[in-house]
Amino acid sequence: MSAVRILDGRSALPVAHRGWTLALAGLGAFLCSLDVVVVATAMPTLREELGASLADLEWTINGYNLAFACLMLTGSALGDRFGRRKVYISGLGVFIAGSAACALSTEVGGLIAARVVEGVGAAVVLPLTLTLISDAFPAERRGTAIGLWGGISGLGVAGGPVLGGAITEGIAWQWIFWINVPIGLLMIPLSAWRLRESRGPRPQLDLVGVALAAVAMFALTWAPVRAPSAGWGSPEVVAAFATGGLLLLGFLAWERRVAHPMLPVEYFRRPGFAVANAVIFFQFLSLLGALFMITQLFQTGLGNSPFEAGVRLLVWTGMPMIVAPLSGALADRVGTRPFMLGGLLLQAAGLGWLAVVATPDVGYTSLILPLVVAGAGIGMIFATSASAVTAAVPVDDTGVAAGTNTALRELGGVFGVAILSAVFAHNGGYASTAAFFDGFAAALWVATAAPLVGVVAVLAIERAASNP
């Protein structure tokens, strides 16, 4: 067995155990990422077989993301308090149960409820994947390891549409959820055997903070989810936004005074932490909203089958699998900032290009380069934002950093699907091919603008940091 070194007050794991940690944590990230998008190419089938409306289709994605975003910080806090390996295994169990319930659903309401359970499990699993990796790898190799984690997550994003399309077309849509069950059941004993147990620095669980964060995130995600059907100015949506905002302020105020905060507020004054969180929010607002629309472009707009749509999407969704590991390794040498800003600009350029060329008579070859450019930008951000946010805090608080980053990522995704759906419905719809493309183009321009807003936010944060 290789020698064990001391790092950050803890013994570094032998190389073989690091490999197991990266594999098991990466596979957990893969499953969570896969299930964000795996329903994308199945949506037309769900609309037909379950009689799902546009709002129902949004909920098959947003039900998962709602629970995902609301409980991300809670999952991290539970891992820090009760043991990251133990809580990781528990999260896998909940995720498997939710997947089985999705597969057994016979009506859309049951499917949405099961997707919420899946999201609860994913909210525990995903932030702990980064914590487990950060605990296992020395600082000088952490960026490369997180880059590989980003590539594996990218594989989940890449594989989701094509796998979902192939299974929906070749077997049945239920099997896009059944595949999680044997993988998860195998991961549980392997995780108990090969992962090292670790805890965070806080001796007590901040129960008030957990409650305030969860309810605030629920209200802030509920508002955009309900807005397309209830109206952005409706009392329900306005009340949800107001409640979420007030509870968020209450959470931040509580965290400043409690002895053992689940999220030290002073971290937001660190440029690396604030920039990484701003980048991931605006990137995912654009990414998930665009994914929701582009999968329908290929099927509803261009008449492709679910499998054909998934294969054609690979030039977009496959890019992070290639670019993320390279970006993570290079960021160890030159820093994360160029990759995060460059990624936002490339994502905006690719989606804007797609909005211009997507017309009813467009050929697939005209879509390839815009999708490649956007996908490369996504890959540049996947790994480097995670590296930046975890590097900005002490190693014992990587779970806190990862939970915050992934919570904002999923919150951005919920806003993206809701906003782009509303823009699509306002400017077009499913009544005709022409109406679909009118709505699609308008929605894609919003997806193009979001990364550019992210660039402005990054520059504003950096300027504020340089002029305290």
Side-chain angles (χ1 to χ4, degrees):
M1 182 174 291
S2 62
V4 176
R5 296 189 296 116
I6 302 298
L7 180 77
D8 296 323
R10 303 202 64 206
S11 59
L13 284 174
V15 173
H17 280 73
R18 291 182 210 159
W20 274 106
T21 301
L22 183 58
L24 290 167
L27 189 53
F30 171 83
L31 291 177
C32 294
S33 301
L34 180 75
D35 274 61
V36 172
V37 297
V38 75
V39 298
T41 44
M43 285 190 292
T45 301
L46 295 175
R47 189 173 59 177
E48 293 176 6
E49 293 192 9
L50 299 181
S53 64
L54 175 62
D56 292 331
L57 294 177
E58 291 175 48
W59 272 102
T60 62
I61 295 177
N62 281 336
Y64 182 87
N65 285 341
L66 187 68
F68 209 2
C70 292
L71 298 175
M72 199 76 66
L73 282 171
T74 301
S76 297
L78 291 173
D80 284 353
R81 175 65 181 86
F82 297 109
R84 292 152 178 166
R85 180 183 63 186
K86 183 186 301 181
V87 174
Y88 184 71
I89 291 170
S90 300
L92 285 172
V94 174
F95 183 82
I96 293 167
S99 298
C102 287
L104 293 169
S105 300
T106 57
E107 46 86 27
V108 71
L111 175 61
I112 292 168
R115 286 282 283 168
V116 171
V117 175
E118 249 194 335
V120 171
V124 174
V125 169
L126 187 60
L128 292 179
T129 62
L130 272 175
T131 311
L132 291 165
I133 289 171
S134 295
D135 176 69
F137 283 83
E140 67 272 13
R141 297 185 182 178
R142 208 168 285 150
T144 300
I146 293 174
L148 290 170
W149 171 90
I152 296 168
S153 299
L155 180 60
V157 174
V162 66
L163 185 62
I167 292 174
T168 299
E169 188 174 342
I171 309 176
W173 66 263
Q174 289 87 347
W175 283 92
I176 65 179
F177 300 109
W178 279 127
I179 60 173
N180 294 332
V181 176
I183 297 173
L185 290 175
L186 179 62
M187 286 178 64
I188 287 175
L190 286 175
S191 296
W193 177 37
R194 285 295 186 178
L195 295 179
R196 174 165 72 179
E197 186 61 284
S198 63
R199 287 177 169 82
R202 296 163 186 80
Q204 297 177 357
L205 183 63
D206 177 14
L207 292 174
V208 175
V210 165
L212 285 171
V215 180
M217 290 296 291
F218 178 83
L220 290 173
T221 49
W222 179 265
V225 165
R226 287 287 298 145
S229 55
W232 288 90
S234 67
E236 176 188 358
V237 171
V238 171
F241 272 127
T243 301
L246 289 173
L247 288 172
L248 182 60
L249 291 174
F251 168 73
L252 295 175
W254 173 260
E255 295 301 284
R256 287 192 181 96
R257 57 172 291 195
V258 69
H260 303 289
M262 64 181 291
L263 173 58
V265 177
E266 61 269 19
Y267 286 168
F268 285 100
R269 291 196 288 269
R270 300 184 180 187
F273 187 85
V275 163
N277 284 315
V279 166
I280 205 68
F281 176 82
F282 287 106
Q283 188 216 13
F284 261 73
L285 191 156
S286 172
L287 172 58
L288 281 197
L291 179 67
F292 183 76
M293 297 309 310
I294 292 172
T295 53
Q296 295 184 74
L297 166 69
F298 281 109
Q299 294 179 78
T300 303
L302 302 178
N304 297 139
S305 70
F307 178 67
E308 290 170 339
V311 171
R312 284 164 171 76
L313 278 169
L314 277 175
V315 296
W316 179 39
T317 58
M319 288 303 294
M321 183 174 55
I322 301 169
V323 175
L326 295 174
S327 300
L330 290 172
D332 281 343
R333 301 178 185 176
V334 301
T336 56
R337 183 182 185 275
F339 294 96
M340 289 192 289
L341 286 176
L344 289 173
L345 292 172
L346 283 178
Q347 185 172 335
L351 293 177
W353 188 354
L354 186 65
V356 171
V357 300
T359 60
D361 58 350
V362 68
Y364 176 63
T365 54
S366 299
L367 304 178
I368 292 175
L369 282 178
L371 291 171
V372 167
V373 170
I378 293 164
M380 289 170 68
I381 295 170
F382 264 10
T384 54
S385 62
S387 294
V389 80
T390 53
V393 303
V395 67
D396 280 343
D397 265 351
T398 53
V400 171
T404 305
N405 196 244
T406 45
L408 288 170
R409 161 181 141 172
E410 299 311 316
L411 181 62
V414 171
F415 270 84
V417 172
I419 292 171
L420 265 67
S421 296
V423 172
F424 170 78
H426 180 75
N427 291 276
Y430 298 113
S432 66
T433 300
F436 176 85
F437 277 90
D438 287 342
F440 176 83
L444 256 287
W445 283 118
V446 176
T448 300
L452 298 178
V453 176
V455 171
V456 174
V458 168
L459 297 177
I461 291 168
E462 292 178 339
R463 182 176 181 181
S466 63
N467 298 286

